[in-house]
Amino acid sequence: MDIDKKRCVGCGNCVPWCTMGVISIGPDHKAEVNTEECVECNNCYRCLPSEGRNPTLVRVIRRILRIFRLSYDAPLDVCPTGALSPPDLKWPRFVRRAFSDPEAPRTSAQFDSDPGAPFAAFGGRGTGEIKGNDVTGRLKLGEVGIVIELGRPGLGARLREFEKVTRALAPLGVFFEPQNPLTVLIKGLNTGEMDPLIVDEKVLSAIIEIRVKEIQVKEVLNALRRVQGDLATVMSIGIAARCKSDSSVEYPAPAIEAGFTLSLNGKCNVGLGRPLYEERKI
Amino acid sequence: MTNTLHRRGTPEELEHDYVVKCFPAGKQEGLPEKIAIFRRIASSHQPVNARLPNGTVREVNEFVFDNPQAVKSVLSELKAADLGISIVVSGLIERVRTCCRDVGLPFHTVEHSLGVLGRTENLPSTGIVEIASLCGHGMVSFNLIEKMVYQVKLGRLTPRQASIYLAKPCTCGSFNPARAEAILERLRARS
């Protein structure tokens, strides 16, 4: 995010909206962004529309009010002078926005600076996962999907943290979901090595999405437990499977054996999509 | 996207937190009309929040409800409408299972959260993380939540007013302002 110091009046409104907590009021009494830690989510820009005030006028009025020990606080969700603006990002920094901003474009338009950038065709942090599984049949009986979202909740993560996890998982023979935008950044699917050009980029969160056989669940979850001590951030883990005819799934037992507790809440595809994958195959 | 998978809270609180979304997978004839019917059905059962994208019809539409009875009614009407669009419900799994059983729908695919590993010591207090978990993309910053808690404690904002501010960054519409309000009430009472 760019903050125009000529326009900023130092009201501090943008500070709490920053998802990474990297906007602060500097010694010059104006807002500044730690660009090294900014994930380009555009949250501040989106949530604080400009009031369109003249910066000089605002500063003069504030000084006058201060003489009388008065102050005027603008509403919490505006930028009085429109000092915020999203920068035009080039590869590889655009990776930050692609994973962190839910409104980021999902086409290659932003990648014109480098048409060879590997995930030009992708956007977002993951895939539809189980949402359309009744139609797509991506997760079949006997398979288990595991989603590992690094940086969530609220801490963010460098892509080198993802590499620690992919390197731990790759030797186990897991299947990295090819439609997942992070998978495209993995240079060696057998080793888990990521594109070195992007490992220092930081994102709000992104998802490693894998498919394994039921028999592998415990081994994979144990690997995640082992690698967690090497991480500088957090990871939220999810597990999914196609239900059997009695609506049950097989993964609770190995997950519990690996020391995990299943949440009481979760996501359920209720099978209303048509044509059902199984019917389509017939 | 793990979106609504990692919502946190006690069973009593989660009792008031359900998300119903439609996901147009595969080829669909007459998709705009089907989406319109989904929206009409879901919006007729008093959702507390919604995402109704204006762009491509293939985007996810979602509605947030604060009670399982509404979810059951929505599912019943969706089953009768037979739109052929994938429907996903997030919430207490046993509660959703009961809703499905009552309207004659089996679970097709299910997903659980296994919690958070790693540097959990860097996370703020439970109430703050609970509110943050209500946004599917994690756009509600810890600092904003803490600021809102502070404003509520000072009496500058009511929990309801604060929950409206907190819902603003959530572009996916899965934020549950009713639950956020209840959590803010709890955090205010704790001061």
Side-chain angles (χ1 to χ4, degrees):
Chain A
M1 182 55 54
D2 286 340
I3 297 179
D4 184 346
K5 293 250 180 187
K6 289 179 187 157
R7 299 199 69 81
C8 179
V9 292
C11 69
N13 266 6
C14 51
V15 173
W17 296 85
C18 176
T19 54
M20 290 289 93
V22 296
I23 300 180
S24 57
I25 300 297
D28 58 355
H29 306 291
K30 291 175 182 175
E32 57 190 27
V33 183
N34 179 344
T35 52
E36 187 50 35
E37 297 295 326
C38 173
V39 294
E40 307 290 359
C41 66
N42 285 351
N43 199 42
C44 52
Y45 175 74
R46 204 167 30 249
C47 293
L48 280 75
S50 170
E51 273 195 310
R53 308 273 185 226
N54 180 302
T56 307
L57 185 65
V58 172
R59 289 188 193 108
V60 169
I61 291 172
R62 291 179 81 188
R63 277 191 202 120
I64 293 170
L65 287 172
R66 210 175 299 142
I67 292 169
F68 297 102
R69 293 175 183 269
L70 295 170
S71 67
Y72 168 71
D73 292 326
L76 298 170
D77 54 351
V78 297
C79 175
T81 57
L84 301 161
S85 63
D88 183 21
L89 300 174
K90 305 292 183 199
W91 181 263
R93 190 170 173 92
F94 184 76
V95 169
R96 298 183 185 227
R97 187 176 177 211
F99 282 108
S100 308
D101 179 359
E103 304 282 292
R106 296 186 176 234
T107 69
S108 60
Q110 291 285 334
F111 292 88
D112 288 347
S113 60
D114 183 357
F119 74 89
F122 296 94
R125 291 177 209 174
T127 67
E129 289 166 44
I130 72 159
K131 291 190 195 91
N133 198 44
D134 45 357
V135 174
T136 64
R138 187 194 287 177
L139 263 186
K140 299 173 184 64
L141 277 170
E143 292 180 329
V144 175
I146 298 177
V147 283
I148 306 125
E149 187 166 3
L150 273 84
R152 184 178 184 170
L155 297 186
R158 300 270 169 195
L159 288 171
R160 76 170 78 92
E161 301 299 316
F162 292 81
E163 188 177 47
K164 292 173 186 172
V165 179
T166 54
R167 279 184 182 278
L169 295 176
L172 304 179
V174 303
F175 179 77
F176 290 98
E177 174 55 54
Q179 291 178 36
N180 178 295
L182 199 87
T183 302
V184 186
L185 300 177
I186 303 174
K187 208 174 165 189
L189 291 175
N190 295 328
T191 61
E193 182 193 1
M194 297 194 77
D195 185 343
L197 194 64
I198 49 91
V199 291
D200 287 331
E201 299 300 332
K202 185 179 177 185
V203 298
L204 182 53
S205 76
I207 303 167
I208 298 168
E209 197 173 342
I210 57 172
R211 254 182 275 168
V212 299
K213 299 288 178 201
E214 282 171 0
I215 198 167
Q216 293 176 283
V217 169
K218 188 176 171 185
E219 184 186 23
V220 167
L221 294 180
N222 280 332
L224 291 175
R225 240 185 219 299
R226 281 194 299 274
V227 77
Q228 66 163 333
D230 300 332
L231 297 179
T233 186
V234 286
M235 57 179 171
S236 296
I237 302 170
I239 189 164
R242 169 84 168 85
C243 297
K244 294 189 287 188
S245 55
D246 62 355
S247 292
S248 68
V249 284
E250 293 288 344
Y251 61 68
I256 292 165
E257 282 173 27
F260 287 85
T261 304
L262 269 69
S263 59
L264 295 172
N265 56 325
K267 286 204 295 205
C268 318
N269 179 320
V270 299
L272 280 172
R274 295 292 180 273
L276 284 171
Y277 176 74
E278 289 83 355
E279 291 171 359
R280 210 173 65 221
K281 280 189 76 182
I282 294 166
Chain B
M1 185 73 224
T2 58
N3 214 303
T4 53
L5 181 64
H6 300 293
R7 292 161 95 90
R8 291 194 184 188
T10 63
E12 293 75 25
E13 289 168 338
L14 293 170
E15 186 72 46
H16 304 288
D17 193 23
Y18 299 87
V19 184
V20 179
K21 58 185 86 178
C22 76
F23 185 81
K27 289 181 182 172
Q28 294 280 343
E29 297 284 330
L31 191 52
E33 293 76 21
K34 290 177 177 178
I35 298 287
I37 294 170
F38 170 79
R39 288 181 176 184
R40 182 172 51 73
I41 290 172
S43 59
S44 67
H45 293 280
Q46 286 82 49
V48 294
N49 200 2
R51 180 194 191 223
L52 308 171
N54 291 320
T56 163
V57 288
R58 301 204 75 81
E59 287 184 61
V60 176
N61 283 250
E62 55 190 76
F63 289 80
V64 184
F65 298 94
D66 61 3
N67 67 88
Q69 291 74 27
V71 175
K72 182 176 161 184
S73 302
V74 169
L75 288 177
S76 175
E77 291 182 34
L78 286 174
K79 186 187 175 198
D82 193 21
L83 301 174
I85 308 174
S86 299
I87 302 293
V88 174
V89 184
S90 300
L92 282 172
I93 289 180
E94 284 313 308
R95 223 14 123 228
V96 178
R97 197 189 298 275
T98 305
C99 292
C100 286
R101 194 186 302 132
D102 289 350
V103 300
L105 287 171
F107 272 4
H108 185 280
T109 311
V110 71
E111 185 169 22
H112 285 84
S113 170
L114 293 178
V116 183
L117 295 183
R119 299 279 176 193
T120 52
E121 67 273 20
N122 293 340
L123 295 174
S125 61
T126 307
I128 305 293
V129 178
E130 277 179 22
I131 292 176
S133 76
L134 294 174
C135 173
H137 294 88
M139 305 308 291
V140 186
S141 75
F142 294 151
N143 285 342
L144 181 66
I145 301 166
E146 279 164 0
K147 174 156 187 156
M148 290 300 139
V149 171
Y150 186 63
Q151 297 281 326
V152 167
K153 284 181 177 176
L154 289 178
R156 289 180 183 165
L157 292 175
T158 64
R160 174 157 297 189
Q161 289 169 326
S163 72
I164 292 167
Y165 277 115
L166 291 169
K168 192 170 180 183
C170 179
T171 58
C172 65
S174 64
F175 193 85
N176 183 336
R179 261 205 73 202
E181 189 182 338
I183 298 168
L184 287 167
E185 287 280 13
R186 193 181 80 210
L187 296 174
R188 175 168 67 176
R190 209 177 273 173
S191 61

